[in-house]
Amino acid sequence: MSRKKEVKKRHIFIITLAKIFLTIPLKIKYRYTYKKYKDLKDGPYLILGNHTISIDPILMSLSFPFHIYYFATEQIFNLGLLSKLLVFAANPIKKTKSVSDLSAIKKAKQIINEKGSVGLFPEGNITYDGVTNKMSPSVVKLIRMLKRPVIFYNFEGLYFSNGRWTVYTKKGKSRGFIKKIISYEEYKDLSDDELFDIVKENLYVNAYDFPYNNFKGKEIAKGLERLVFIDYKSNEPFSTYTKGDMLYSKSSNLTLKFLNNGMVTDNENNSFNLIEIHEKVLTSYLNYYRNNKNFSFDRTVNLSKTDANKKHDLGKGSFTLKNDRVIFINKHIEKEFLFSEISNLAIQGKKQIIIYEDNDTWLFRFDLETSPYIYLLTYQFYNEGENIYDENISIHKFGLQ
């Protein structure tokens, strides 16, 4: 039996039509500028980009005269009719926990063989602090398997417009552009480490290096507690909250004023970027975790359970975080997720975490003020075992990766 075609004429037709309607609104909303690379004719290509906001794939597509078949999280495939329409129009490549997902790689290879171009954001996660997240070396395996020219695409400015922690979009300049293209002949004889170094070098973006840094909007600090979920003076989690352009703490005199240039100042007039604040948060929570074995934090969440094609809403309930587990309780279900038994825990978007068991996937959706990040870090700290008490352990080992 012949394999069904993955690359179809309707994909380029529908996406081209969609661009006509989306281009102007997106350019206005994000003051986004980009170059159209109409002369790219020696494809198909593998296109790699740094990940700054959720609509990066749409913005990247504006630069290219062909359709890009993107790797996408499995969660967009269980939205019922919307998922069916997305698959019909764009045919994204479904991946689960990493780029090494065999079925995803096979589909990408078939798309390349059918002269279609493939897009991937190797970080897998949108940055919290404005710096490109860690990437898995498995991207090198994908590059070698596809054996096509690799385009490295960079976004600048979007982090300050609509970063992962933000609630309201801010107005400011942003842009997208090709940083580098390398041919198969240029990389085929490189070692895996050398090739991975090229990937990291060309996808590294620090939001604070961007020359345009005046971003305005309402309540510009709203959501900052998703990143700064702990008072790093008192080491007290879930004690921070925001109002207007300010972050406050309920457990100390810590205050942070968020500025239009993305910097923050504290009540002692010290100035920091969010990369530095992120390090303070990681250090503070690591110390808290080491010194508190019996903590318990309760929040309210909406729980869904997903399978290959559907999302099943299980309602709102109490969600308790402990050092080695999370517990969900409502009138329909009571379930404990031991970190030692689940397959993985990850952040989805701005307000969700996903817990993977062997046969089930669970989505927990928080309110605007609750940070999904603390749940990921707690899971990572637990998995370090006794190594977590090593004073020489690097905080950079943890976080989005």
Side-chain angles (χ1 to χ4, degrees):
M1 185 173 66
S2 62
R3 183 182 295 179
K4 81 166 182 178
K5 286 197 63 172
E6 299 291 352
V7 175
K8 298 183 179 180
K9 291 181 180 180
R10 71 164 182 263
H11 299 148
I12 185 67
F13 174 78
I14 294 173
I15 297 305
T16 300
L17 190 63
K19 288 179 185 179
I20 295 173
F21 293 98
L22 291 173
T23 299
I24 293 177
L26 290 174
K27 288 174 70 174
I28 293 173
K29 182 174 183 177
Y30 295 104
R31 296 181 66 188
Y32 182 68
T33 59
Y34 61 95
K35 180 180 176 181
K36 286 189 175 181
Y37 297 94
K38 297 180 180 180
D39 56 342
L40 290 176
K41 299 177 181 177
D42 56 344
Y45 300 94
L46 171 61
I47 307 170
L48 306 180
N50 64 300
H51 212 358
T52 55
I53 65 175
S54 60
I55 62 167
D56 284 342
I58 298 174
L59 295 173
M60 181 189 288
S61 295
L62 299 180
S63 285
F64 297 97
F66 45 79
H67 177 52
I68 303 171
Y69 294 84
Y70 288 103
F71 282 85
T73 175
E74 74 271 24
Q75 298 309 315
I76 71 167
F77 292 86
N78 51 42
L79 302 176
L81 179 60
L82 181 60
S83 294
K84 291 179 180 179
L85 290 173
L86 182 62
V87 170
F88 179 82
N91 194 20
I93 304 169
K94 180 180 179 180
K95 70 180 181 71
T96 51
K97 298 172 191 174
S98 72
V99 72
S100 59
D101 179 25
L102 185 58
S103 61
I105 291 178
K106 285 182 176 178
K107 180 171 178 176
K109 181 67 173 177
Q110 183 179 345
I111 288 170
I112 289 290
N113 289 341
E114 294 176 13
K115 309 303 181 186
S117 290
V118 170
L120 173 69
F121 298 92
E123 298 164 82
N125 270 296
I126 299 169
T127 177
Y128 259 123
D129 60 13
V131 172
T132 300
N133 292 317
K134 287 173 278 189
M135 294 171 278
S136 170
S138 58
V139 67
V140 170
K141 296 179 182 178
L142 179 66
I143 293 172
R144 294 204 185 282
M145 178 173 285
L146 298 184
K147 298 181 180 179
R148 298 305 306 163
V150 180
I151 296 175
F152 296 97
Y153 196 90
N154 284 183
F155 293 105
E156 294 178 335
L158 292 169
Y159 171 75
F160 292 126
S161 288
N162 193 11
R164 187 165 205 162
W165 59 264
T166 59
V167 173
Y168 301 115
T169 303
K170 305 170 186 66
K171 293 290 186 181
K173 293 182 179 180
S174 62
R175 66 170 181 157
F177 61 95
I178 290 178
K179 184 173 183 180
K180 186 181 181 68
I181 302 177
I182 58 171
S183 68
Y184 174 68
E185 292 299 320
E186 290 176 284
Y187 68 74
K188 68 182 179 72
D189 295 324
L190 298 178
S191 70
D192 286 354
D193 288 342
E194 289 172 328
L195 182 52
F196 191 43
D197 284 342
I198 291 175
V199 173
K200 291 186 290 185
E201 177 186 351
N202 286 285
L203 292 184
Y204 177 83
V205 173
N206 183 329
Y208 290 90
D209 293 336
F210 189 56
Y212 305 111
N213 56 4
N214 185 21
F215 292 80
K216 299 178 181 179
K218 68 174 182 176
E219 296 190 72
I220 60 175
K222 185 70 172 176
L224 188 54
E225 61 266 54
R226 291 172 177 164
L227 173 60
V228 191
F229 59 81
I230 189 169
D231 179 331
Y232 54 78
K233 284 189 173 182
S234 65
N235 280 1
E236 187 63 34
F238 289 115
S239 60
T240 56
Y241 64 98
T242 53
K243 186 176 181 180
D245 60 356
M246 299 295 298
L247 178 138
Y248 302 98
S249 172
K250 300 172 185 176
S251 62
S252 82
N253 67 345
L254 173 68
T255 63
L256 295 176
K257 181 180 177 66
F258 188 75
L259 307 177
N260 291 340
N261 62 0
M263 302 292 287
V264 296
T265 55
D266 64 14
N267 50 331
E268 298 173 354
N269 208 32
N270 298 307
S271 180
F272 305 97
N273 61 40
L274 291 183
I275 303 163
E276 295 165 323
I277 294 295
H278 186 196
E279 291 188 358
K280 292 177 180 291
V281 166
L282 286 172
T283 301
S284 177
Y285 189 51
L286 179 58
N287 289 334
Y288 180 87
Y289 185 88
R290 285 168 170 165
N291 296 318
N292 296 271
K293 294 185 178 180
N294 298 312
F295 63 79
S296 180
F297 295 105
D298 295 324
R299 288 294 179 269
T300 299
V301 301
N302 286 292
L303 174 61
S304 300
K305 184 179 178 181
T306 69
D307 55 33
N309 300 305
K310 283 187 178 181
K311 181 188 291 185
H312 308 278
D313 186 11
L314 299 176
K316 186 175 290 188
S318 171
F319 194 52
T320 302
L321 173 66
K322 295 182 177 293
N323 74 319
D324 63 347
R325 70 194 69 195
V326 290
I327 304 164
F328 178 86
I329 301 174
N330 70 6
K331 62 183 180 181
H332 302 296
I333 183 174
E334 181 174 338
K335 184 164 175 62
E336 185 174 65
F337 300 86
L338 295 171
F339 292 158
S340 60
E341 295 181 358
I342 64 176
S343 301
N344 197 12
L345 186 152
I347 299 177
Q348 173 77 13
K350 293 187 177 186
K351 298 194 295 183
Q352 289 189 151
I353 63 168
I354 305 176
I355 291 180
Y356 297 94
E357 293 185 309
D358 288 341
N359 299 311
D360 297 309
T361 302
W362 306 80
L363 279 76
F364 302 84
R365 186 174 181 85
F366 300 97
D367 58 26
L368 293 177
E369 288 75 33
T370 300
S371 172
Y373 196 26
I374 189 172
Y375 297 86
L376 173 66
L377 290 172
T378 307
Y379 176 67
Q380 291 178 343
F381 291 168
Y382 172 83
N383 283 329
E384 276 299 306
E386 290 301 313
N387 292 333
I388 201 68
Y389 300 102
D390 182 353
E391 292 299 323
N392 295 316
I393 197 168
S394 171
I395 59 169
H396 301 290
K397 182 175 184 178
F398 306 104
L400 298 174
Q401 48 193 298

